[in-house]
Amino acid sequence: MTRGLFLKFGPGVIFAANAVGVSHLVQSTRAGAGYGLSLLLLIFLITALKYPLFRFASTYSAVSGKTLLDAYRKDGHFAVFILILSVVIDMFIATAAVSLVTAGIVKNVFGIDVSTLLVITVLILGAFFLLAAFGYSFFEKLVICMVILFTLMSIAALGMAVPTAIRESTNIMPDLNWSPAFIVFLIAMAGWMPTPPSASFFLSAWSAKRRQKLKDQLTLKMILFDFNFGYALTLIIAFAFVLLGAVLLYLNNINAETDSAVSFAAILMSLFSESYGSWAIPIVGGAAIVVMFSTMLTLFDGAPRVMRQLFGFSETNKKAFLGFLILQAIGVISIVYFFGSSFSTFINFATSTAFATAPFIAIYNYRAIMNDDIPDEAKPRPYLRIWNFISAGVLFVIGIYYFLNLFGVNG
């Protein structure tokens, strides 16, 4: 049974772990806190918008055994530049952001009064040990188990909130006021929900690895089931945190506005304890820690894996993987240590880059799946092709609005 589970699930579920980090724990909960359940449809549409570009990445690599880097190289230097820029940002800035939030939540849940940098260092050493000592197969199984665990914990937390949501159903879905501030909030959510398009590069690397591992055992049906399951899971977890935010914050008229993701998570857990008792803290706190640490693990595996190929090392060169893993760890700790007080500048840069590159990634991923070396049965049907072009167009418009707002010229 266990072997069947790990045969059925793989990169799609790992992708879910990569996606359900800050965007779900904080952004989804903030959506519920500010707007009740009124944003559920919009979250569904935002998640659906990016479905083709991630599916193309998964299918291309799982079918061909190649990564998106191979396909992007065929499309020229600009395509490779987009990939390198995105991966470097995820390798250092995104990983530093996730590490900061994870450390803050660990300190809050366990009541640890030590420096955040120390907790981050311990977490990174833990991730390094797991990846260096046990390799990819263990990483894959561990992350799948973590996804199962945080899904069950999220469902348990959701089960406590649902009765309140049902009782207050007439008050929990307010009319939306399409103010400039609300649109900016939606734009930010669109950028990070379920995750930025750059995550398709890691998904591609894991999918290629699975093809090399399972060879002819891996069928198109298995590939699509794994990806669709993982992608659906990102939506379910997002809905769960929206509901928690709506019940704990919106219905209680609590304004939990704070720029700090850690502070927001702390407020959420405090309210959960007040509403359901201190016994409930391990459920929501445990879910938050497992969610964030699984995201950390995927970033520490995915980035070095892509960088190893980018610099021409073979897939089996473990020393190269460990070298890039060490470089990533040192870079993340250095960013937190030297620039922790001005970290929002890095986040703004990462966000701007994500919006600028998103439509290009959607187009290049489409070109990858339409390559001649991909069998016809694995290529997308016409509706998916149209869906992807609409997605690229919408992502382009969203990006334009984001930059107009950023530079104060949106009128």
Side-chain angles (χ1 to χ4, degrees):
M1 180 180 174
T2 304
R3 186 178 181 278
L5 176 70
F6 293 125
L7 188 64
K8 187 172 290 187
F9 298 121
V13 177
I14 298 173
F15 168 80
N18 178 263
V20 294
V22 178
S23 64
H24 286 60
L25 184 65
V26 177
Q27 289 291 81
S28 294
T29 313
R30 275 181 173 157
Y35 307 100
L37 300 184
S38 297
L39 292 186
L40 287 180
L41 178 60
L42 285 169
I43 288 173
F44 171 81
L45 292 174
I46 289 168
T47 303
L49 182 71
K50 297 179 185 176
Y51 173 83
L53 74 88
F54 287 118
R55 173 168 161 167
F56 296 166
S58 171
T59 306
Y60 169 76
S61 295
V63 168
S64 68
K66 300 176 182 178
T67 70
L68 284 176
L69 176 59
D70 297 303
Y72 276 43
R73 278 174 170 158
K74 293 180 182 178
D75 282 318
H77 296 305
F78 181 72
V80 175
F81 169 74
I82 292 287
L83 185 148
I84 293 172
L85 179 63
S86 301
V87 171
V88 168
I89 286 173
D90 284 349
M91 185 174 185
F92 296 109
I93 299 176
T95 306
V98 170
S99 300
L100 270 169
V101 176
T102 309
I105 292 171
V106 167
K107 287 175 64 176
N108 183 270
V109 171
F110 293 104
I112 303 172
D113 187 20
V114 296
S115 75
T116 299
L117 183 64
L118 177 60
V119 178
I120 287 175
T121 303
V122 171
L123 289 170
I124 289 175
L125 287 174
F128 180 88
F129 173 75
L130 290 171
L131 294 171
F134 299 105
Y136 179 80
S137 293
F138 176 82
F139 159 77
E140 184 179 66
K141 292 173 182 175
L142 175 63
V143 172
I144 290 171
C145 290
M146 292 176 82
V147 170
I148 292 171
L149 180 60
F150 73 60
T151 301
L152 292 175
M153 285 179 157
S154 299
I155 291 172
L158 191 61
M160 288 182 251
V162 163
T164 304
I166 293 172
R167 285 196 307 272
E168 302 288 341
S169 57
T170 57
N171 304 317
I172 207 169
M173 294 194 70
D175 294 331
L176 296 176
N177 175 19
W178 292 81
S179 64
F182 174 66
I183 294 174
V184 168
F185 177 82
L186 278 186
I187 294 294
M189 179 170 285
W192 297 100
M193 184 65 64
T195 192
S198 59
S200 63
F201 302 132
F202 300 158
L203 174 60
S204 165
W206 298 321
S207 298
K209 181 69 176 178
R210 193 182 189 210
R211 164 57 68 182
Q212 294 157 15
K213 178 180 164 186
L214 296 182
K215 298 184 171 59
D216 292 339
Q217 276 185 283
L218 187 61
T219 65
L220 182 60
K221 184 178 179 181
M222 291 168 62
I223 293 166
L224 294 178
F225 175 82
D226 171 52
F227 172 73
N228 288 334
F229 182 88
Y231 206 79
L233 207 56
T234 66
L235 184 62
I236 292 168
I237 300 298
F239 281 0
F241 281 111
V242 169
L243 184 56
L244 286 175
V247 170
L248 294 176
L249 296 166
Y250 180 79
L251 288 179
N252 292 311
N253 293 314
I254 295 173
N255 184 357
E257 284 302 313
T258 171
D259 291 333
S260 169
V262 175
S263 299
F264 185 84
I267 292 169
L268 179 66
M269 283 182 276
S270 174
L271 288 169
F272 207 90
S273 176
E274 290 175 17
S275 301
Y276 302 104
S278 58
W279 63 271
I281 282 291
I283 295 176
V284 69
I289 290 172
V290 177
V291 162
M292 295 308 302
F293 187 67
S294 65
T295 302
M296 270 187 73
L297 267 180
T298 60
L299 287 166
F300 275 109
D301 179 86
R305 194 169 293 280
V306 176
M307 294 299 285
R308 176 173 60 186
Q309 183 191 5
L310 185 63
F311 279 83
F313 295 102
S314 72
E315 172 68 23
T316 56
N317 193 326
K318 189 172 182 179
K319 288 183 179 179
F321 176 83
L322 292 178
F324 286 115
L325 183 59
I326 292 170
L327 177 65
Q328 184 179 17
I330 293 172
V332 168
I333 292 172
S334 298
I335 288 172
V336 173
Y337 180 75
F338 291 107
F339 306 103
S341 59
S342 57
F343 193 67
S344 60
T345 304
F346 285 90
I347 295 298
N348 290 337
F349 174 69
T351 304
S352 300
T353 305
F355 279 115
T357 58
F360 295 105
I361 294 173
I363 296 300
Y364 285 131
N365 286 8
Y366 169 77
R367 289 175 61 83
I369 194 64
M370 296 303 293
N371 262 322
D372 292 337
D373 55 350
I374 301 298
D376 289 342
E377 62 269 21
K379 291 180 179 178
R381 295 180 181 179
Y383 79 91
L384 263 179
R385 301 179 193 186
I386 295 170
W387 186 350
N388 187 66
F389 284 120
I390 292 172
S391 171
V394 172
L395 289 171
F396 177 77
V397 171
I398 288 173
I400 292 295
Y401 189 93
Y402 169 81
F403 283 108
L404 288 176
N405 182 76
L406 183 68
F407 294 110
V409 292
N410 58 339

